[in-house]
Amino acid sequence: MSAVENMRKMPRQSRARDTVEVVLEAAAQVLEMSGEAGFNTNAVAERAGVSIGALYRYFPDKAAILRALALRETEAHRDAVLAVVEGERGEVARDRAIIRTFVGAFAGRTRARRIAVSALLARADHAELAERFAAAEAGLTDAQGRSLTRVQAFVLSRAVHGAMRAAVLEGVDFLESQALEDELVRLSRAYLAAL
């Protein structure tokens, strides 16, 4: 579901964009503190310090807020992964840096992210979501720096993404652990070695 379908009115002015950001940040805070049971438009408006009318100007209901929050998180995550894919080699191996960035995107506020991601996945156009990551996947390489084929990039990215999605949605206690990062790197390297 596109951002346009999520919102009643697309903010054009800086002040309006700021209001939307404040509402989304407040939504994340309410979700993290109170969970889905305590999440409603009144609680979000109160936490954001805006009138309920101002909130409804941009979001028709709490489901739209959840989807917009999840899309915001998805965009930030994609941009971070893309920066690693396109960037110079850092202190750690590139595959580990990509996976670390991927895991880091879900660090903190796991309760809020889990609820928002669940809402997004329930009504999302999965092809549209996949398209958002196409540029990052196109930059994936093997250990020798050769580009992966489209199919190889698909299989590798979905294997890692599937494990991460399950960890987030299941609320595992090792989501932010070094052990999970290490296992995802091992999965990735085993697949690449088998090519």
Side-chain angles (χ1 to χ4, degrees):
M1 185 158 276
S2 73
V4 173
E5 293 172 283
N6 286 325
M7 299 179 69
R8 279 199 165 129
K9 177 179 172 183
M10 292 302 293
R12 291 188 178 8
Q13 296 180 334
S14 175
R15 193 176 90 227
R17 286 191 301 271
D18 290 346
T19 299
V20 168
E21 281 304 309
V22 166
V23 168
L24 292 178
E25 179 58 29
Q29 291 174 13
V30 169
L31 284 169
E32 196 62 31
M33 290 184 303
S34 305
E36 202 165 4
F39 183 76
N40 59 59
T41 54
N42 287 325
V44 172
E46 182 179 333
R47 182 75 181 175
V50 300
S51 71
I52 194 72
L55 183 143
Y56 282 133
R57 188 174 305 131
Y58 300 104
F59 301 101
D61 54 27
K62 70 180 187 176
I65 297 170
L66 283 173
R67 287 189 302 275
L69 180 61
L71 285 172
R72 182 182 81 162
E73 295 292 325
T74 300
E75 289 299 312
H77 169 225
R78 182 202 53 142
D79 292 346
V81 170
L82 193 55
V84 173
V85 168
E86 294 177 344
E88 306 245 343
R89 286 198 175 261
E91 295 177 11
V92 298
R94 187 172 181 206
D95 61 340
R96 182 173 291 278
I98 292 169
I99 288 171
R100 185 171 289 168
T101 300
F102 197 76
V103 172
F106 292 98
R109 289 192 178 166
T110 54
R111 185 179 195 188
R113 284 190 174 104
R114 182 173 56 248
I115 295 166
V117 168
S118 293
L120 177 65
L121 294 176
R123 297 192 52 190
D125 176 341
H126 292 277
E128 180 185 322
L129 286 176
E131 184 61 33
R132 293 173 188 260
F133 286 88
E137 288 176 9
L140 295 177
T141 61
D142 64 15
Q144 288 73 42
R146 296 179 301 237
S147 293
L148 299 183
T149 68
R150 215 171 119 227
V151 173
Q152 292 166 340
F154 176 89
V155 169
L156 178 58
S157 66
R158 294 323 185 272
V160 172
H161 190 236
M164 281 301 304
R165 180 183 291 177
V168 170
L169 295 178
E170 293 173 23
V172 299
D173 61 354
F174 52 80
L175 179 62
E176 299 177 51
S177 71
Q178 184 66 47
L180 179 60
E181 178 184 310
D182 291 344
E183 290 306 314
L184 291 172
V185 169
R186 183 174 295 134
L187 172 72
S188 170
R189 289 179 181 173
Y191 177 74
L192 292 172
L195 294 179

